[in-house]
Amino acid sequence: AWVPRALLQRAVYPACSAFDATGQAQGLTLKLGDCVHVYHREVTGWTYGARLERLAVEGQRRQQRQQEVEVGWFPEACILEPLPIA
């Protein structure tokens, strides 16, 4: 179901599996552990979102907002439930 972008931008979803989008014009490559903002989900299982920059120091919360690095489509199965909002 479609959810307004403003609502989804607050949720950060961790990638539970990798996705190689090489050769796909609008694909978003994900690595295990990447975090994404989800903007749109299709009933076909494809999800449109933005991969966020990786934290410089793993395990520590960062006070400033993570910057979006790249946007594109990826399989919904690549992400878990959203992380709690800090």
Side-chain angles (χ1 to χ4, degrees):
W2 183 83
V3 177
R5 180 178 177 171
L7 291 177
L8 289 173
Q9 279 188 319
R10 294 189 55 108
V12 175
Y13 294 76
C16 61
S17 63
F19 174 67
D20 184 4
T22 303
Q24 297 182 21
Q26 296 182 9
L28 179 63
T29 296
L30 295 176
K31 296 178 185 171
L32 184 63
D34 280 347
C35 290
V36 295
H37 279 153
V38 172
Y39 299 141
H40 182 74
R41 289 181 170 176
E42 292 286 331
V43 294
T44 59
W46 285 94
T47 303
Y48 187 76
R51 182 169 35 85
L52 303 175
E53 67 181 344
R54 286 192 173 253
L55 297 176
V57 180
E58 296 293 332
Q60 291 185 3
R61 287 194 177 182
R62 192 161 150 177
Q63 296 301 318
Q64 68 188 72
R65 183 176 168 197
Q66 289 174 285
Q67 296 296 312
E68 296 176 355
V69 176
E70 186 179 6
V71 296
W73 291 93
F74 58 92
E76 183 176 18
C78 290
I79 56 174
L80 297 170
E81 292 299 314
L83 296 173
I85 298 172

